[in-house]
């Protein structure tokens, strides 16, 4: 495969190969570029290569190549430019569709040309032989050969595109569009096999999408846009399936839609639900599931009545009539009567599955067949007001078949109503999603129901009836059909009758001994006889003694009854205990047996394993011995053959010889053979050397002669070519001279034209030069002005900046001077306050010292002098030192024992002035404390503390 430095080179090479008709080589070249790991970065050239690549694949019908190339291109542009992949795929689909349509237009007999079962199946040998020996026309065969390959390519194109886009969230719309086009392809050409395969492909894509949730770029079904695309695809699938009458595939499509709704846990729009239930009614009617068909019609009626506001009264009446007739078409008996348990479970599971599809919430633990039953359906018709919307004929028919009892003329009443109902129906208006309703399709089921109702009512009135009479009462069917219907009804326990063809009569009999009417027949008969006897023979009044005996007898009977009951309970308990013991013994026995069986099985398993291992080892040893024996025999035969060839003495068979001895002998023999072979090769090499030397000596003069002859020939050839070149040069020179002579006549005109052109160009040049100089001067002037303006602006900004700096410096200097001044003032103030505080503390110390001395004198018993109150200070804030006072000063506090010593008797109580003096001293002490705290706490409060203390002292 050729390699290219650039993708453009590969594209050019492919175009060249296509021009010469080598499309296969061009396709291989482009395929190599796309799959190469060198060009993993997306570029526009790769998109052009992909366009050319898909064109070649379509022209050559190479679907596999196209799929491989698209997968590789998806890897390249997935994270960079996903729109490029979308354009390539659309181009691919367009080409495939165009080719298929072109082939179809060329084929004149399209039905014959497309009459094949499977687009993916190859031709079988039987078909080829049959086509050659059959009388098929050549034109039909050519049409088939022309159209079929292109339609196979188109189908493969749809499959390839769906496979590539299945896990790409960015191209969901393209995936949905491709699926819709594939559905239309199957619908247009009635391709049922391909449609089934397409549905399975889409179904598998969704299943893998739900299974592998950790994939990158997977679509998100919770997004409304993605969900809408998936629902549109499924509903289109459902429509095409019903149009192709693939009812099983249509039912699977319904299940797909329901599964999708369960995954996202959302309900689609009402318009989609109407289509869903309309298709569901058709599917169930085709499958003869009348109960499910009726419930689907009921759901469709509820949706149309609730959400379709544009629905006309006539359309609503037709839909309601369809609901009632579908409900009446359900057989009036349960077909599961007498079925096995497995069949009942299957029916229950089927009912649950279909009920979920229809949209009814059904508890799986309940009896589902009772929920989806004819009785519940008819009750819902009344509760949901369906009967109020139906036509009068349908309402009368419902009343006759369900509520009226007229066994003799029931069929005569029903027949005209059925005739009128069969004429109802037709296409609905555009407001309804249901295109057409035909009530005539329910007529056979209604006739069968009328027959069953009449037989049921006749069986309640008559025991025996002639066949001719019954045939005249039923105008719908012949008597064999009536007999068949009655057999089915008898089978499902709906009626009980016998047909006696010998006597020409129909016998209506009871339904068995266990029927509701005679189940308690004997007990009821006994009770009736007892009542009659009591009425005929009333009881007589007995004597009192007889009454006492009866009372005692009653007590005895009660006691005996209680004793028997107690005995019965004891017997039952003993039986239960015995059964329990037997059960325990059986369990123990079973456990011992199982344990013993397990031990035996384990021993047997070990024995078998040991025997198997022993047999395997023996077999391996035996195989090794046999292999060695065979090798020894083979070596013995080879040694015997070599001995015979070389004349050596062969080994006798009777001699005892082993494999080791034979191997040594063989090795020795091989060594000798190798040595002999080397000697032969040396001899042969020497012989070949002499032969080659002799050959070269003989060939040397011949080679020299051939060389000289070649020189002579080449010299003659060179002279001939040289002479020929000289002659050609002379001819060319002569021709050039002739041409110069011919053109020299126009020299003057040439010079005039040249001068005119030069002058014109010179004038243009001067003009352009002048304009350029003017433009340059304007540019220079404008730039000079700009530079001058810029310089002025820079100078202005610089001066302004210097001015601002100067202002800021002056402001900062002023602020610094102000701060320094404040600091000096604060320092001076603090110094003055500290000085005042120091003086105050000194006076305090002096006062405290004097007070302490006075207290010591009082404690020693010496007379003391009362302190003199200070005078008013000469300066504010200063206090003079106190002087001594007399002992009789009223402000002095003296303890009681000292006062008694000094005065010699008890003291009088202190005067109010003394009390005031005592408390004033305490206030002085507290004031002193406040002053200290203020002084040590800060300098600002020192003057205030001093003044407070002085005022309290005063």
């Amino acid at each position: 495969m050729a390699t290219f430095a650039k993708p453009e080179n590969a594209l050019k090479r492919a175009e060249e190969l296509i021009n010469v008709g080598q499309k296969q080589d061009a396709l291989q070249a482009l395929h190599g570029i796309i799959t190469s790991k060198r060009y993993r970065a997306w570029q526009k050239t790769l998109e052009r290569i992909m366009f050319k690549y898909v064109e070649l694949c379509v022209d050559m019908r190479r679907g596999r190549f196209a799929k491989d190339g698209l997968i590789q291109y998806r890897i390249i542009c997935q994270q960079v430019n996903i729109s490029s992949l979308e354009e390539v795929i659309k181009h691919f689909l367009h080409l495939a569709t165009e080719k298929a349509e072109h082939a179809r237009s060329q084929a004149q007999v399209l039905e014959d040309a497309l009459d094949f079962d499977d687009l993916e199946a190859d031709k079988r040998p039987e078909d080829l032989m049959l086509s050659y020996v059959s009388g098929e026309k050549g034109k039909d065969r050519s049409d088939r050969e022309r159209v079929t390959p292109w339609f196979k390519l188109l189908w493969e194109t749809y499959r390839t595109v769906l496979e590539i886009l299945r896990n790409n969230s960015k191209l969901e719309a393209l995936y949905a569009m491709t699926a819709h086009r594939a559905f239309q392809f199957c619908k247009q050409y009635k391709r049922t096999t391909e449609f089934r395969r397409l549905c399975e492909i889409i179904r598998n894509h969704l299943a893998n999408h739900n299974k592998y949730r950790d994939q990158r770029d997977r679509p998100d079904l919770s997004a409304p846009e993605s969900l809408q695309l998936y629902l549109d695809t499924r509903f289109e699938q459902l429509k095409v399936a019903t149009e192709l009458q693939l009812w099983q595939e249509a039912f699977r499509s319904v299940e797909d839609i329901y599964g999708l709704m369960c995954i996202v846990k959302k309900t689609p729009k009402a318009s989609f639900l109407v289509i869903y239930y309309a298709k569901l009614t058709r599917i169930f009617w085709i499958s003869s599931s009348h109960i499910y068909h009726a419930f689907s019609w009921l759901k469709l009626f509820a949706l149309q009545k609730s959400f379709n506001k544009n629905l006309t009264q006539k359309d609503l009446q037709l839909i309601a009539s369809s609901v009632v007739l579908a409900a009446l078409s359900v057989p009036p008996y349960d077909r599961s009567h007498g079925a096995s348990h497995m069949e009942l479970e299957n029916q229950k599971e089927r009912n649950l599955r279909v009920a979920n599809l229809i949209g009814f919430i059904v508890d799986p633990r309940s009896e589902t067949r009772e929920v989806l039953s004819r009785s519940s359906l008819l009750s819902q018709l009344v509760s949901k007001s369906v009967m109020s919307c139906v036509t009068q004929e349908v309402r009368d028919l419902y009343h006759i078949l369900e509520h009226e009892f007229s066994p003799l003329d029931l069929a005569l009443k029903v027949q005209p109503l059925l005739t009128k109902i069969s004429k109802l129906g037709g296409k609905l208006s555009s407001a309804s999603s249901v295109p057409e309703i035909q009530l005539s399709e329910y007529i056979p089921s209604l006739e069968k129901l009328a027959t069953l109702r009449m037989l049921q009512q006749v069986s309640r009135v008559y025991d025996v009836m002639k066949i001719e009479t019954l045939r005249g009462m039923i105008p719908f069917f012949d008597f064999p059909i009536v007999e068949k219907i009655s057999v089915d009804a008898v089978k499902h326990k709906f009626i009980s009758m016998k047909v006696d063809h010998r006597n020409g009569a129909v016998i209506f009999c009871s339904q068995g001994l266990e029927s509701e009417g005679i189940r308690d027949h004997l007990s009821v008969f006994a009770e009736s006889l007892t009542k009659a006897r009591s009425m005929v023979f009333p009881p007589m009044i007995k004597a009192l003694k007889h009454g006492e005996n009866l009372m005692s007898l009653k007590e005895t009977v009660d006691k005996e009854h209680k004793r028997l009951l107690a005995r019965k309970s004891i017997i039952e308990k003993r039986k239960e205990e015995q059964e329990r013991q037997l059960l325990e013994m059986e369990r123990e026995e079973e456990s011992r047996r199982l344990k013993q069986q397990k031990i035996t099985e384990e021993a047997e398993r070990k024995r078998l394993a040991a025997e198997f291992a022993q047999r395997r080892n023996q077999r391996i040893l035996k195989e090794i011995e046999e292999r060695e024996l065979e090798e020894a025999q083979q070596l013995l035969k080879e040694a015997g053959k070599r001995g015979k060839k070389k004349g050596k003495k062969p080994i006798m068979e009777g001699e005892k010889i082993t494999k080791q001895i034979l191997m040594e002998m063989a090795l020795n023999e091989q060594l000798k053979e190798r040595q002999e072979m080397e000697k032969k090769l040396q001899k042969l090499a020497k012989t070949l050397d002499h032969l080659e030397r002799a050959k070269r000596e003989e060939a040397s003069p011949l080679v020299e002669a051939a060389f000289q002859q070649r020189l002579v020939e080449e010299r003659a050839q060179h002279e001939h070519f040289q002479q020929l070149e000289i002659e050609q040069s002379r001819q060319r020179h002569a021709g050039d001279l002739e041409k110069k002579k011919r053109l020299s006549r126009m020299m003057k005109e040439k010079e005039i034209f040249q001068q005119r052109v030069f002058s014109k160009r010179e004038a243009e040049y001067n003009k352009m030069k002048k304009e350029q100089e003017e433009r340059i001067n304007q540019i220079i002037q404008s730039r000079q002005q700009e530079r001058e303006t810029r310089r002025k602006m820079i100078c202005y900004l610089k001066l302004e900046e210097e001015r601002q700096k100067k202002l800021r410096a002056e402001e900062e200097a002023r602020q610094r001077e102000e701060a320094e001044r404040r600091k000096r003032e604060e320092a001076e103030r603090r110094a003055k306050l500290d000085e005042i505080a120091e003086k105050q503390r000194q006076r305090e110390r002096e006062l405290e010292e004097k007070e302490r001395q006075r207290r010591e004198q009082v404690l020693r018993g010496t007379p003391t002098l009362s302190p003199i109150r200070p005078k008013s200070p000469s300066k504010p804030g200063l206090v003079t030192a106190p002087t001594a006072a007399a002992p009789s000063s009223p402000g002095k506090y003296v303890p009681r024992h000292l006062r008694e010593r000094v005065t010699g008797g008890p003291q009088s109580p202190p005067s109010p002035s003394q009390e005031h003096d005592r408390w004033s001293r305490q206030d002085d002490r507290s004031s002193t404390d406040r002053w200290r705290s203020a002084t040590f706490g800060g300098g600002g409060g020192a003057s205030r503390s001093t003044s407070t203390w002085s005022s309290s002292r005063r």
Side-chain angles (χ1 to χ4, degrees), residues 287-304:
S287 63
S288 299
S289 301
H290 297 92
I291 184 70
Y292 304 145
H293 171 76
F295 273 106
S296 301
W297 262 118
L298 181 60
K299 195 72 175 178
L300 180 60
F301 170 77
L303 281 172
Q304 291 279 21

Side-chain angles (χ1 to χ4, degrees), residues 666-714:
L667 288 175
N668 293 331
E669 190 67 26
Q670 289 177 3
L671 184 60
K672 290 179 182 180
E673 290 178 357
R674 192 180 296 112
Q675 292 175 356
E676 292 176 359
M677 185 61 68
E678 289 178 356
K679 290 179 181 179
K680 288 181 180 180
L681 289 175
Q682 289 177 1
K683 185 177 180 180
L684 182 61
K686 189 179 291 185
T687 303
L688 291 174
D689 189 13
H690 290 300
L691 182 62
E692 186 68 23
R693 186 180 299 113
K695 286 166 62 178
R696 291 186 180 183
E697 288 177 356
E698 291 294 330
S700 177
L702 298 176
V703 171
E704 183 66 27
F707 176 70
Q708 294 297 330
Q709 185 179 359
R710 180 69 180 275
L711 286 177
V712 172
E713 292 176 356
E714 289 182 352

Side-chain angles (χ1 to χ4, degrees), residues 741-753:
K741 182 178 179 182
R742 184 169 54 85
L743 295 175
S744 62
R745 295 177 299 172
M746 296 182 289
M747 182 62 67
K748 191 174 296 183
E749 286 79 1
K750 175 251 182 187
E751 291 178 353
I752 294 171
F753 177 74

Side-chain angles (χ1 to χ4, degrees), residues 9 222 231 364 635 771 777 792 929 935:
N9 300 339
S222 60
L231 284 176
L635 290 173
E771 291 176 356
N777 291 331
K792 290 181 180 180
D929 295 336
T935 303

Side-chain angles (χ1 to χ4, degrees), residues 38-55:
R38 294 177 58 187
Y39 310 105
R40 290 300 185 188
W42 183 87
Q43 46 187 322
K44 190 67 176 177
T45 308
L46 288 177
E47 184 177 349
R48 296 199 302 271
I49 289 174
M50 280 302 302
F51 282 133
K52 183 62 69 175
Y53 180 78
V54 296
E55 289 175 4

Side-chain angles (χ1 to χ4, degrees), residues 633-644:
Q633 291 177 358
Q634 188 69 23
L635 290 173
L636 182 63
K637 290 179 181 179
E638 292 177 358
K641 290 179 182 179
R642 285 195 296 270
K644 289 179 182 179

